[in-house]
């Protein structure tokens, strides 16, 4: 178990600078440039990114799509669409959808053989998902994926805000 947990890292930094095989974007269903981490990734990746996303066309909540990283150091970007907290009254459904979002990310990463991946705190910005619950879901889903697939992938959670970073630090130390 300890070996698995050593593959999960947290860092407080801008994800566009991550030196990994693939970074994850917190996108929307239309795959159109928005704010937050999506904005930062579009600026860093350059003008070829919206063209690639337009060709894909869209992505339902809970799912994810892959594009090249273009001008980023990371060769690939997985665009994942987390749930919007206010769109559902059923909290179980919201949690299931956020977990499914992380599963979709790992399915693509595994099928492509990525060895390292950087993930932001999906749905905890504009989409309003409570941060502690979101972090719990992110970490548990990651742990389950790594164990069930005997994966050696390095997973780095990029926390941007102080509170998200503290939450991840606390939860990760509890897991260990
Ligand atoms: N690096 C890492 N994390 C960041 C960065 C960065 N450069 N910038 C912001 N964050 P959000 P969501 C954090 O709102 O809630 C967009 O408009 C941020 O502090 O980016 O999934 C999309 O187009 C927060 O903790 O994504 C969608 O419409 C986290 O990234 C919508 O927002 C996620 O916040 C998606 O909303």
């Amino acid at each position: 178990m300890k070996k698995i947990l050593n593959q999960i890292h947290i860092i407080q930094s801008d994800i566009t600078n991550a030196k990994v095989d693939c970074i994850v974007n917190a996108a929307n269903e239309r795959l159109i440039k928005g704010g937050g981490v999506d904005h930062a990734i579009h600026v860093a990746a350059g003008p070829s990114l919206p063209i690639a996303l337009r060709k894909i066309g869209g992505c339902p909540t809970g799912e994810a799509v892959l594009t090249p990283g273009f001008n980023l150091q990371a060769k690939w970007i997985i665009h994942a669409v987390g749930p919007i907290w206010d769109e559902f009254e059923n909290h179980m459904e919201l949690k299931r959808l956020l977990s499914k979002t992380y599963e979709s990310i790992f399915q693509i990463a595994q099928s492509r053989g990525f060895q390292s991946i950087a993930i932001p705190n999906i749905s905890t910005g504009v989409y309003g998902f409570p941060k502690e619950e979101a972090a719990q879901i992110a970490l548990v889903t990651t742990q389950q994926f790594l164990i069930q697939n005997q994966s050696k992938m390095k997973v780095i959670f990029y926390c941007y805000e102080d509170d998200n970073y503290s939450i991840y630090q606390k939860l990760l130390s509890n897991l260990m």
Side-chain angles (χ1 to χ4, degrees):
M1 182 66 85
K2 186 142 181 47
K3 205 168 159 232
I4 298 281
L5 292 172
N6 284 346
Q7 291 167 239
I8 304 175
H9 302 262
I10 49 171
I11 180 168
Q12 187 170 20
S13 186
D14 180 347
I15 201 166
T16 60
N17 296 322
K19 294 184 183 65
V20 286
D21 292 340
C22 173
I23 69 167
V24 175
N25 183 17
N28 55 66
E29 286 193 335
R30 295 171 68 201
L31 299 177
I32 288 171
K33 179 182 166 189
V37 70
D38 190 19
H39 175 81
I41 289 173
H42 269 82
V43 169
S48 299
L49 179 57
I51 296 168
L53 287 171
R54 222 172 297 140
K55 279 187 192 149
I56 297 170
C59 177
T61 297
E63 297 186 17
V65 298
L66 183 72
T67 68
F70 299 107
N71 298 341
L72 286 171
Q73 298 197 56
K75 273 200 176 141
W76 297 98
I77 307 169
I78 293 174
H79 305 264
V81 182
I84 302 173
W85 183 258
D86 283 343
E87 276 195 355
F88 297 85
E89 285 190 3
N90 182 343
H91 288 185
M92 290 304 290
E93 179 61 3
L94 278 158
K95 289 178 186 181
R96 188 191 69 78
L97 279 170
L98 187 58
S99 182
K100 185 175 174 229
T101 307
Y102 283 97
E103 284 167 7
S104 302
I105 291 166
F106 290 127
Q107 268 168 21
I108 295 177
Q110 165 137 301
S111 71
R112 289 287 177 148
F114 297 152
Q115 291 176 1
S116 55
I117 185 168
I119 311 181
N121 307 135
I122 297 168
S123 283
T124 69
V126 179
Y127 280 4
F129 209 105
K131 291 175 182 174
E132 180 128 8
E133 286 174 72
Q136 186 85 251
I137 291 164
L139 286 170
V140 167
T141 309
T142 302
Q143 198 185 8
Q144 278 170 357
F145 161 76
L146 293 174
I147 293 169
Q148 283 168 9
N149 295 280
Q150 297 183 323
S151 171
K152 300 269 180 287
M153 197 185 302
K154 180 176 174 182
V155 181
I156 311 168
F157 286 99
Y158 269 70
C159 304
Y160 204 56
E161 302 152 6
D162 291 345
D163 51 358
N164 261 328
Y165 185 64
S166 311
I167 289 167
Y168 271 78
Q169 267 185 321
K170 185 186 78 181
L171 292 179
L172 200 57
S173 63
N174 288 349
L175 274 183
M176 291 175 170

